Amino acid sequence: MQADLELFQKLSEKLITHEKKNGVVKPIKAEKLLDVLNLELSNEALNEDTFESLLEDIVLSTPRTSTKLFFNQLFGGRNSKATLGELLAVMLNNSMYTYKVGGPQVGIEKVIINKVCEMLNFGKNADGTFPPGGSMSNFMAMLMARDAYNRDIKFEGVSEKMIIYTSDASHYSITKNAMFGGIGIEQIRRIQTDEFGKMIPEALQKQIEKDIKDGLKPFFVNATAGTTVLGAFDDIDAISDITKNYKNLWLHVDGAYCGSVIFSKTYKHLVNGVENADSFSFNAHKMLNVPLSCSILITKEKHNLKHSFACQADYLYQTDGDEYNLGKTSLQCGRRNDALKFWTLWKSVGTAGLEQMVDQQFKLAQTARNYIESHSEYKLYSYEDSISVCFNYKNIDPKDLCNSLYEDGKLMVGYGEFQGITFVRLVAINSNNREEDILNFFKVMETYVEEKQLELVTT
């Protein structure tokens, strides 16, 4: 084991050195991958030197999501204290279904959940869990809503046309989860958004009334705190004013992207009304820079978690009470420890430190918007109170620009679409970045375009 730990340290140091020198890896073409790297499995073992060399090649060929040139996804950066927690969790290798196996790690998860419940003002009956990602957080919320609407569904299955409401800019997991939960894609109502990408509450109410008149069964409204493209926040206050007027209509807030604004005194107003929701989720591996994955789901009434997910297993639950046997409120049986890395970060920097991380991202996004608005070659498509900065440059096709920057190993940034317009989407989610790193993004992009002599296809 000691030799492998030393190899890990050696490879990590090489990675960090290369990250500083070259922030982006020039990608291996997908169709050439197996020709370039020896990834195939064989009957004979590699010798140690060949094994180390291959591992180094793989590590140094992998996209670098933690550098100052990565703006592509809704995550990025590397926090050392959170990474420490992840490494310790791997070494400990606990599963989180029982206190007997998890021990203090169960206490760590419960402490985080209780603190978040308190921050949300969800009340004394609230509880939560760590699902395997934001999509599964939304799935668990949908299942609780389904079962709260009709307690017999878990035994008899879905036999009615149950209706889901979500904005037309929401995450695609709502579609997948309607399939998984037996609801059906055709029972999803995609509510119109305004020019800022926010669900229009009046359109939601109108659709609910129509469905009730048609004899259908509304049961789940999904509001979004940070849409995937524009980073928009639905008006939770206005939406909750609607949902509270209907019996058994569950309000879930999908904060996977930007729900971490609850840690910021300056920006928590963006989720005003969240205390009126039935459930709320956020991904600490996004705005809080915790290693993938670290997702938290909170529900106002803990009995809904137990009703939808608890099953008896005498071979497993043999000691301690249900409060400490977390498998009773989880989607999974075997479940890795995703709480420790969040706890090591939170414990080391305090809630005030998490607030600074969130505030820094909004500051970086404003730096980008200021730059775009002060240069006539750019056109801005996003707005304040978002960490997604959407723009186009010199009428260059954004798909061609982003793909070309990636293929030539200059920058990693993606593109998005809203209301028929495609644009570059810069995600300012890496709180390790500073204003000069944002300005350097534009410098690298502009220099690249100039060097290519506008070979890129123009719109």
Side-chain angles (χ1 to χ4, degrees):
M1 188 67 187
Q2 187 61 41
D4 287 330
L5 288 173
E6 291 172 1
L7 177 57
F8 173 81
Q9 180 72 19
K10 181 178 179 180
L11 293 174
S12 297
E13 289 174 356
K14 284 190 176 183
L15 173 61
I16 292 170
T17 298
H18 279 257
E19 285 178 342
K20 291 177 180 178
K21 184 178 179 181
N22 298 302
V24 180
V25 174
K26 191 169 183 178
I28 301 170
K29 290 186 179 298
E31 62 273 16
K32 297 290 185 182
L33 179 61
L34 297 183
D35 297 326
V36 175
L37 294 174
N38 177 22
L39 305 182
E40 296 289 359
L41 302 172
S42 59
N43 189 52
E44 299 301 323
L46 292 179
N47 64 56
E48 286 298 319
D49 289 342
T50 304
F51 179 67
E52 178 179 332
S53 178
L54 177 58
L55 277 182
E56 180 177 329
D57 288 343
I58 292 171
V59 167
L60 299 183
S61 300
T62 298
R64 295 169 186 163
T65 63
S66 299
T67 75
K68 297 179 180 297
L69 294 175
F70 182 85
F71 300 91
N72 198 76
Q73 243 63 48
L74 305 183
F75 67 90
R78 182 187 296 119
N79 181 282
S80 61
K81 289 295 191 294
T83 301
L84 172 63
E86 175 74 303
L87 296 175
L88 289 172
V90 171
M91 290 294 291
L92 291 167
N93 199 35
N94 299 103
S95 187
M96 299 297 285
Y97 41 53
T98 66
Y99 184 78
K100 183 178 182 180
V101 174
Q105 305 303 320
V106 168
I108 285 172
E109 182 167 316
K110 287 177 64 66
V111 163
I112 293 173
I113 288 169
N114 290 341
K115 184 64 176 180
V116 174
C117 289
E118 177 187 320
M119 294 173 67
L120 294 171
N121 195 25
F122 260 28
K124 63 181 181 179
N125 293 323
D127 200 1
T129 185
F130 278 65
S135 292
M136 288 298 98
S137 295
N138 291 340
F139 183 47
M140 292 184 72
M142 188 180 293
L143 292 181
M144 285 191 291
R146 183 199 68 180
D147 296 347
Y149 182 86
N150 182 345
R151 290 295 186 190
D152 292 328
I153 284 178
K154 67 180 288 184
F155 305 104
E156 301 173 358
V158 177
S159 59
E160 301 176 289
K161 294 288 187 181
M162 303 178 68
I163 307 300
I164 295 165
Y165 303 87
T166 193
S167 88
D168 58 19
S170 66
H171 192 255
Y172 79 106
S173 63
I174 301 302
T175 301
K176 290 198 302 181
N177 295 339
M179 297 159 46
F180 300 160
I183 307 300
I185 296 174
E186 292 182 359
Q187 275 59 260
I188 300 174
R189 303 292 185 261
R190 303 187 189 282
I191 306 302
Q192 181 183 359
T193 51
D194 61 20
E195 73 232 66
F196 302 110
K198 303 176 182 180
M199 183 192 294
I200 299 174
E202 295 80 7
L204 171 64
Q205 173 129 36
K206 184 177 179 180
Q207 185 63 58
I208 292 172
E209 288 296 326
K210 180 182 184 304
D211 288 329
I212 292 175
K213 184 177 180 181
D214 291 342
L216 303 176
K217 308 296 182 181
F219 82 102
F220 184 74
V221 175
N222 178 72
T224 306
T227 57
T228 53
V229 176
L230 290 182
F233 290 81
D234 288 340
D235 187 339
I236 301 171
D237 254 335
I239 293 171
S240 66
D241 283 343
I242 294 170
T243 58
K244 70 182 180 183
N245 294 318
Y246 300 93
K247 185 179 180 180
N248 293 334
L249 184 54
W250 185 287
L251 175 57
H252 172 62
V253 178
D254 172 13
Y257 182 13
C258 295
S260 296
V261 294
I262 62 172
F263 291 92
S264 169
K265 291 187 287 290
T266 302
Y267 294 101
K268 66 181 180 181
H269 72 276
L270 295 171
V271 291
N272 278 352
V274 69
E275 68 277 4
N276 299 317
D278 295 287
S279 55
F280 171 83
S281 61
F282 72 101
N283 288 349
H285 63 253
K286 291 182 177 172
M287 292 190 84
L288 300 179
N289 295 156
V290 174
L292 284 157
S293 66
C294 187
S295 302
I296 295 94
L297 171 67
I298 304 296
T299 186
K300 189 168 287 182
E301 298 293 337
K302 66 176 68 177
H303 66 81
N304 287 312
L305 269 174
K306 292 182 178 180
H307 175 77
S308 292
F309 304 109
C311 286
Q312 189 56 40
D314 292 338
Y315 57 83
L316 188 64
Y317 304 113
Q318 298 178 344
T319 62
D320 311 295
D322 282 355
E323 290 297 312
Y324 287 87
N325 288 328
L326 303 183
K328 293 290 185 77
T329 53
S330 173
L331 187 66
Q332 304 146 271
C333 179
R335 179 165 63 91
R336 78 186 307 277
N337 180 4
D338 288 331
L340 180 58
K341 54 194 171 187
F342 189 17
W343 183 87
T344 53
L345 169 63
W346 197 338
K347 196 73 171 176
S348 64
V349 303
T351 307
L354 299 182
E355 178 179 27
Q356 291 172 6
M357 294 171 69
V358 173
D359 290 351
Q360 174 69 2
Q361 291 162 46
F362 282 96
K363 182 179 179 181
L364 295 174
Q366 188 58 50
T367 298
R369 285 191 293 270
N370 290 343
Y371 185 90
I372 291 167
E373 290 180 318
S374 63
H375 290 78
S376 59
E377 304 98 330
Y378 289 86
K379 184 171 183 180
L380 183 66
Y381 293 96
S382 53
Y383 54 93
E384 294 183 358
D385 290 340
S386 172
I387 61 171
S388 292
V389 182
C390 303
F391 66 91
N392 276 325
Y393 177 59
K394 285 188 173 181
N395 292 323
I396 299 172
D397 184 284
K399 296 181 182 179
D400 289 340
L401 178 57
C402 293
N403 290 337
S404 188
L405 285 164
Y406 161 68
E407 289 165 1
D408 288 341
K410 299 297 181 181
L411 285 171
M412 283 194 71
V413 64
Y415 54 84
E417 182 179 327
F418 182 71
Q419 296 184 344
I421 299 173
T422 304
F423 37 66
V424 179
R425 183 194 64 169
L426 182 158
V427 183
I429 203 164
N430 184 353
S431 60
N432 294 326
N433 280 339
R434 296 295 176 259
E435 292 183 59
E436 55 265 29
D437 298 311
I438 298 297
L439 298 178
N440 183 61
F441 166 88
F442 292 108
K443 180 181 178 181
V444 170
M445 187 185 70
E446 291 167 6
T447 301
Y448 176 77
V449 169
E450 184 178 348
E451 290 174 350
K452 294 282 284 188
Q453 295 181 340
L454 297 182
E455 293 173 8
L456 299 169
V457 179
T458 58
T459 56

